Amino acid sequence: MADQLSNYQCPNCGGPLRFDPAVQKLKCDYCESTFTQEEVDQFYRAKEEAAAQVGTDQQWETETGQWSGEEASHMRAYSCPSCGAELIADENTAVTVCPYCNNPTVVAGQFKAKKPQFVLPFQLDKKEAVSILNNFYKGKPLLPRAFKSQNHIEEIKGVYVPFWLYNGVMDADLIFRAERIQQYTHGDNIVTETSHYQIVRRGTVAFSGVPADASTKMPDEYMDAIEPFDYSKLKDFDTMYMAGYMADSYDVDAETDRARAEKRMRQTAESQLSSTVVGYTSVVPVRSDIRMIDCAAAYAFLPVWVLCTKWNGKNYLFAVNGQSGKIVGDMPTDKALFLQYFLITALVLFLIGAVILYFMGGGFL
Amino acid sequence: MRLTKLLIALAAAVLASVLFLKPADIHAATAYVMDESGTLTSEQVASLNSLAEEISLRQKCGVYVIITSDMHGYSESSFARGIFMNYDLGYDEGNRDGASGVLLAISEGDRYYDSVAYGAAKDTFSSYNLDRLNDLVLDYLYNGDWYGAAEGFIRKCDDILTDSGYQYYVPTYTDPAINPTTVTTSPAQRREIFLSRLPFVGVIAALLSLLITWVVSLQNTNIGIATEAMKYLVKNGVKLTSTQDIFINKTRTTTRIHRDSGGGGSSGSSHSYHSSGFSSSSGGRHF
């Protein structure tokens, strides 16, 4: 079995290194040594390049004995560079953790074939992500109490999610019908004058960094909801940032994903140009011709903490923006609490309404 | 749960309190003297009514005596004023703002009476004069002479109006208008109206509560597909290359204003400012 993987091991003790968001350096959990990127690069460059060379040659072995042809075509088998264990992962796995020695392992070949331009390093650690989730439960009166009290996070993963960041210019040509109504009194008459206009707005609207996640494993509604990310903290891609986290390469290419970003840009371009039509009583759009005239996509890894819980046999997923801490999720609603909340609110509103009705009616007591 | 029980108890208490008393009917004024309790004979009522009508039209000030069977839900202090407004009393010349009159209101069941004046009559029937009128009728009522009380009141009012040189006019009121519901209905009627509308309040409360609860339940999920890209607009990235507002045509419609010709009579030659409409006696009495 060819060795096509690389990982970061501590130059001092050989323990696994992970990227520590607090110090923005690689840290060994065993001897607590920290290393800068340059130090690690210098130490491991030769090792990584050797592994990458094997990876780009596509010399990994595929286990075909027990998998169907279709399944096998999406699976890859690797050997852990630390302990030699055989790792099975899907074809897009870029960074994983060896279940035997717990070493974060980078499939360097993935980055050679689909190299990201940028990476946004994690700013939040696992403890902060869990704390954010616990705070998320607060102030939600219809959340089942058992979900809060008995809930245990089954899995928490720091994941670098592949995104396409689109820069683009939308060329818009909009036509509206508008009316301006003036009313005045002339003698014994009220005169209403309605002026009719055709409004033309043409122009360009430029966008930068409209994100669209490029992994089919990540639900789009979660990844859209955890925006925004602060791109000023983007770094040129380096595998150092991957240490300790999971990552998959993209499996949705830039051309396919573009439709999502373009739809958003189109909507915003239309609203921007429409907002310049002012001073009319009514405005009705007649024609909207918007097209993208310039588009470029950058491939980037953005940090997301993914937390999974199970309650009443159902899985619940939460995603935390690894930079800003914004959390999104879909939680259950307790039907009994819903009914109780409804009744209490209805009673309070009824009493308020009765008091208002009493005083509006002039009172009688 | 304790809060729920408390709220249910409160709602039940409100309902019970408004259901407790039976509403009573009130009739609009059709005469100067009315006897709802059946104390006077019809001949006596007719006689008093013609006397009061003659004086009222001559003086341009309504003089009224109303005998009710109960207080119509009013407190003693608001009894006479409430009856005056609810029976739509007062002499006027087409403008209800100019209603002027004086009333003796007697509750036969409660053995209580009081007098009140409204409008231009307020200037003439001061608290002092109203107290004098109350003193006058007390002896009659004490002796069970209801006819004498009414007749004495009407005639004394005529004397006071003549002696004071009363002139009819439309006062200008400086206080806010009296709540029309309070003016045209008795407390018992208002209770009836309140009860009839309460189910609608319940339905509206339930619908609003459902909406609020649904919105609160939405807090449990905050995922969704993004539809716009405002956050990713490049600074000064909106460039307009063409802005045209082309005038096409103008349409004009003319609507004739409907003006109410009015037709109300003259409101009188003199004006005086009243804070409200009433002057009251220093207090009604039991007999």
Side-chain angles (χ1 to χ4, degrees):
Chain A
M1 184 173 287
D3 178 10
Q4 74 280 20
L5 305 180
S6 68
N7 63 7
Y8 287 105
Q9 288 172 284
C10 176
N12 294 339
C13 70
L17 289 176
R18 63 175 180 82
F19 183 75
D20 187 342
V23 294
Q24 296 285 303
K25 285 182 179 179
L26 289 161
K27 185 177 180 182
C28 174
D29 286 332
Y30 292 89
C31 67
E32 298 196 338
S33 305
T34 56
F35 303 93
T36 63
Q37 181 182 351
E38 289 73 26
E39 287 167 340
V40 175
D41 278 352
Q42 191 179 356
F43 200 82
Y44 283 104
R45 188 166 289 128
K47 186 178 179 180
E48 188 179 298
E49 284 175 357
Q53 183 57 43
V54 179
T56 48
D57 293 344
Q58 298 293 302
Q59 289 173 353
W60 48 56
E61 294 178 6
T62 305
E63 295 288 344
T64 56
Q66 288 137 29
W67 301 96
S68 68
E70 172 63 17
E71 286 169 332
S73 67
H74 297 299
M75 303 296 288
R76 297 288 182 269
Y78 311 103
S79 65
C80 174
S82 290
C83 67
E86 188 175 73
L87 306 177
I88 306 293
D90 81 15
E91 61 183 340
N92 293 309
T93 299
V95 182
T96 189
V97 175
C98 174
Y100 301 100
C101 66
N102 204 35
N103 260 314
T105 306
V106 175
V107 185
Q110 288 284 6
F111 298 127
K112 285 289 180 186
K114 302 173 177 178
K115 189 182 178 202
Q117 282 175 262
F118 304 108
V119 60
L120 191 59
F122 272 88
Q123 304 289 319
L124 302 172
D125 62 22
K126 191 184 283 189
K127 275 185 186 171
E128 288 171 308
V130 173
S131 166
I132 286 167
L133 177 64
N134 289 328
N135 284 332
F136 189 53
Y137 291 156
K138 292 175 185 168
K140 299 202 168 33
L142 304 184
L143 189 64
R145 292 188 182 104
F147 186 84
K148 289 186 216 176
S149 58
Q150 299 168 12
N151 186 249
H152 299 291
I153 297 164
E154 298 218 334
E155 190 180 11
I156 176 162
K157 292 184 293 191
V159 181
Y160 277 109
V161 178
F163 272 82
W164 294 110
L165 307 181
Y166 293 92
N167 296 336
V169 177
M170 304 300 286
D171 183 50
D173 182 355
L174 308 178
I175 295 177
F176 306 88
R177 283 268 161 76
E179 286 181 354
R180 190 178 286 152
I181 298 173
Q182 284 183 307
Q183 207 169 50
Y184 56 88
T185 307
H186 181 72
D188 282 346
N189 297 314
I190 296 172
V191 180
T192 305
E193 283 186 351
T194 306
S195 302
H196 301 268
Y197 294 85
Q198 177 170 283
I199 313 292
V200 178
R201 292 289 183 272
R202 292 194 186 99
T204 57
V205 183
F207 296 88
S208 174
V210 180
D213 74 276
S215 169
T216 53
K217 288 181 192 169
M218 283 294 175
D220 291 347
E221 61 270 29
Y222 280 75
M223 294 302 101
D224 281 4
I226 59 167
E227 292 175 21
F229 291 91
D230 178 4
Y231 296 146
S232 67
K233 302 275 185 354
L234 278 174
K235 309 278 186 194
D236 288 336
F237 178 77
D238 194 297
T239 52
M240 177 191 82
Y241 298 110
M242 303 289 110
Y245 301 102
M246 313 287 280
D248 285 342
S249 288
Y250 67 84
D251 58 1
V252 181
D253 62 41
E255 190 56 33
T256 308
D257 228 7
R258 192 178 109 167
R260 284 179 57 208
E262 192 174 331
K263 190 177 175 186
R264 295 174 65 179
M265 289 190 253
R266 181 187 302 275
Q267 201 279 337
T268 303
E270 187 168 0
S271 73
Q272 285 294 301
L273 263 61
S274 298
S275 68
T276 65
V277 183
V278 291
Y280 295 95
T281 313
S282 68
V283 178
V284 179
V286 175
R287 199 187 78 187
S288 172
D289 182 13
I290 302 172
R291 60 198 174 86
M292 187 171 267
I293 54 172
D294 188 15
C295 184
Y299 178 31
F301 273 164
L302 303 183
V304 179
W305 284 103
V306 177
L307 302 95
C308 297
T309 65
K310 200 172 212 173
W311 187 73
N312 274 3
K314 192 178 168 190
N315 290 319
Y316 291 92
L317 178 69
F318 299 91
V320 178
N321 184 318
Q323 185 187 40
S324 68
K326 182 180 179 183
I327 183 169
V328 297
D330 187 11
M331 293 184 289
T333 296
D334 190 314
K335 286 177 184 165
L337 283 175
F338 187 97
L339 187 64
Q340 188 183 343
Y341 195 90
F342 165 75
L343 287 174
I344 291 173
T345 311
L347 270 170
V348 170
L349 290 173
F350 176 74
L351 286 171
I352 293 170
V355 169
I356 292 170
L357 183 67
Y358 175 80
F359 285 108
M360 280 180 66
F364 50 79
L365 294 176
Chain B
M1 289 308 285
R2 221 183 308 168
L3 179 67
T4 314
K5 284 177 185 170
L6 187 71
L7 285 166
I8 290 170
L10 196 57
V14 168
L15 275 175
S17 69
V18 298
L19 285 168
F20 186 70
L21 292 172
K22 184 180 174 292
D25 293 332
I26 251 184
H27 306 288
T30 53
Y32 292 90
V33 176
M34 284 172 272
D35 176 19
E36 295 174 356
S37 65
T39 309
L40 301 172
T41 64
S42 56
E43 290 77 18
Q44 287 176 321
V45 172
S47 166
L48 290 168
N49 199 46
S50 67
L51 174 66
E53 185 175 15
E54 185 275 319
I55 294 168
S56 299
L57 295 177
R58 175 164 44 82
Q59 298 282 6
K60 294 191 175 182
C61 172
V63 179
Y64 304 94
V65 176
I66 295 178
I67 305 171
T68 62
S69 50
D70 58 34
M71 302 283 284
H72 282 312
Y74 290 110
S75 65
E76 290 183 352
S77 60
S78 61
F79 174 59
R81 277 188 291 177
I83 294 293
F84 191 99
M85 297 311 293
N86 285 320
Y87 281 73
D88 206 16
L89 303 182
Y91 171 90
D92 67 73
E93 295 181 344
N95 179 3
R96 285 303 297 163
D97 285 346
S100 172
V102 58
L103 164 72
L104 171 65
I106 307 169
S107 169
E108 186 266 340
D110 298 89
R111 296 189 67 79
Y112 179 81
Y113 76 97
D114 197 5
S115 56
V116 71
Y118 184 78
K122 178 187 170 186
D123 297 340
T124 300
F125 293 96
S126 61
S127 290
Y128 171 75
N129 279 337
L130 290 172
D131 285 342
R132 281 173 60 203
L133 286 166
N134 282 351
D135 291 342
L136 174 76
V137 298
L138 181 61
D139 291 338
Y140 291 105
L141 291 174
Y142 190 75
N143 295 320
D145 183 2
W146 297 77
Y147 180 84
E151 187 187 28
F153 176 82
I154 294 166
R155 291 194 186 282
K156 188 67 181 171
C157 286
D158 189 18
D159 293 344
I160 293 171
L161 286 165
T162 305
D163 294 347
S164 66
Y166 164 83
Q167 289 284 319
Y168 173 77
Y169 68 96
V170 180
T172 302
Y173 298 107
T174 54
D175 275 7
I178 297 167
N179 182 343
T181 311
T182 315
V183 169
T184 55
T185 56
S186 72
Q189 285 175 313
R190 290 200 290 278
R191 183 182 300 110
E192 184 90 327
I193 293 166
F194 176 81
L195 285 174
S196 69
R197 289 176 182 170
L198 215 49
F200 295 105
V201 175
V203 170
I204 292 166
L207 289 174
L208 271 176
S209 172
L210 192 64
L211 182 70
I212 291 168
T213 312
W214 176 71
V215 169
V216 170
S217 75
L218 291 182
Q219 288 182 356
N220 284 11
T221 179
N222 63 346
I223 57 173
I225 295 291
T227 55
E228 49 78 32
M230 285 296 289
K231 291 188 280 275
Y232 307 100
L233 268 175
V234 173
K235 194 177 178 185
N236 300 323
V238 180
K239 290 190 170 59
L240 284 169
T241 54
S242 173
T243 60
Q244 297 176 61
D245 292 33
I246 305 158
F247 174 76
I248 299 171
N249 64 352
K250 183 183 281 187
T251 56
R252 181 176 294 154
T253 56
T254 305
T255 313
R256 192 161 185 80
I257 301 168
H258 175 71
R259 294 193 195 278
D260 190 356
S261 58
S266 166
S267 58
S269 57
S270 64
H271 279 268
S272 174
Y273 287 91
H274 285 196
S275 59
S276 66
F278 285 107
S279 82
S280 303
S281 67
S282 55
R285 297 169 197 185
H286 286 277
F287 54 93

